[in-house]
Amino acid sequence: MSEVIHKFTRNVPGWRPRVEPVRLDEATPAQLDALKVTPSNTKVSDYVLVLAHDVESLAVRSPLFNGIMYDPGGMSRAEREIGAIAASIVNRCIYCAAVHATRHAQIEKSTDVTDAIFRNGERTQLENPRDRVIFDFALKLSQTPSQAGADDMAALREAGLDETEILDLVMSTALFGWANRLMHVLGDPVREDR
């Protein structure tokens, strides 16, 4: 029996679905077609197989996710990961925080930023001014979207973000508001038995 994880961790946990995933060998042609594109174009996970119950949504969800998080141009991949991590910290999504902290550390070849976030949570004051304003904005957007306004946009511009980068930050943070809720309700982060 695997144990549900309740604390943030750098080690990417497993994920135990509460809704039975679609079995690949029983998937419809439409489900198989939708499963050709997965989040980050990696593997067909249990999470994606759960989402395959709503094939119309999955068929647009995964390309949208990949477009927001991985398309070239705009904000850097590492900065988009900071938005995802901030949303996941606010929403207490253990699984998403671990996955995107790992990606950030791989891209930056350093765990300094994500170690600080895991150590201090929403109170984190990142050293790099640009990272700090990105993280602070993503926290605010995740906590109370109506509180993120013109002053925050001005702070982002002052830190050097252009219009495309600001839109990337808003979309990557908002995407994780949705993704975190799906992950929370549809399953649990678990320490996998060895």
Side-chain angles (χ1 to χ4, degrees):
M1 186 67 166
S2 50
E3 175 188 350
V4 175
I5 300 172
H6 298 284
K7 292 185 177 178
F8 289 112
T9 175
R10 175 165 296 291
N11 300 318
V12 177
W15 186 77
R16 185 174 56 212
R18 295 179 186 154
V19 174
E20 191 68 30
V22 168
R23 288 177 48 115
L24 263 180
D25 60 351
E26 296 175 359
T28 66
Q31 288 169 325
L32 291 173
D33 191 53
L35 290 165
K36 288 178 183 173
V37 178
T38 61
S40 71
N41 287 319
T42 51
K43 65 176 184 175
V44 177
S45 65
D46 280 346
Y47 174 63
V48 173
L49 289 169
V50 168
L51 297 180
H53 285 292
D54 184 346
V55 67
E56 293 83 7
S57 295
L58 179 62
V60 294
R61 183 260 182 213
S62 296
L64 176 66
F65 182 97
N66 291 344
I68 290 172
M69 293 303 292
Y70 307 120
D71 272 359
M75 203 161 68
S76 74
R77 282 270 324 273
E79 291 171 338
R80 293 179 212 198
E81 298 294 355
I82 290 174
I85 296 164
S88 300
I89 293 290
V90 169
N91 294 318
R92 303 250 347 126
C93 186
I94 306 299
Y95 183 87
C96 293
V99 167
H100 293 279
T102 297
R103 289 193 182 142
H104 183 276
Q106 290 168 342
I107 294 165
E108 292 294 305
K109 299 183 180 8
S110 168
T111 62
D112 290 351
V113 167
T114 50
D115 284 347
I117 294 171
F118 282 156
R119 188 172 47 250
N120 301 309
E122 296 179 37
R123 297 182 317 276
T124 303
Q125 294 290 312
L126 294 175
E127 288 185 26
N128 178 297
R130 184 173 162 111
D131 286 348
R132 184 172 52 244
V133 76
I134 289 170
F135 184 72
D136 290 349
F137 176 80
L139 287 176
K140 196 170 189 179
L141 180 60
S142 301
Q143 292 162 337
T144 312
S146 62
Q147 298 299 310
D151 290 346
D152 300 293
M153 295 294 162
L156 291 168
R157 288 187 186 99
E158 191 172 319
L161 278 77
D162 65 23
E163 306 306 303
T164 302
E165 291 170 322
I166 291 171
L167 187 59
D168 281 345
L169 176 58
V170 171
M171 290 200 301
S172 60
T173 303
L175 177 69
F176 274 83
W178 180 37
N180 294 162
R181 283 157 179 79
L182 291 173
M183 294 295 289
H184 270 303
V185 175
L186 296 174
D188 291 301
V190 292
R191 191 174 326 281
E192 294 185 315
D193 296 332
R194 295 179 191 251

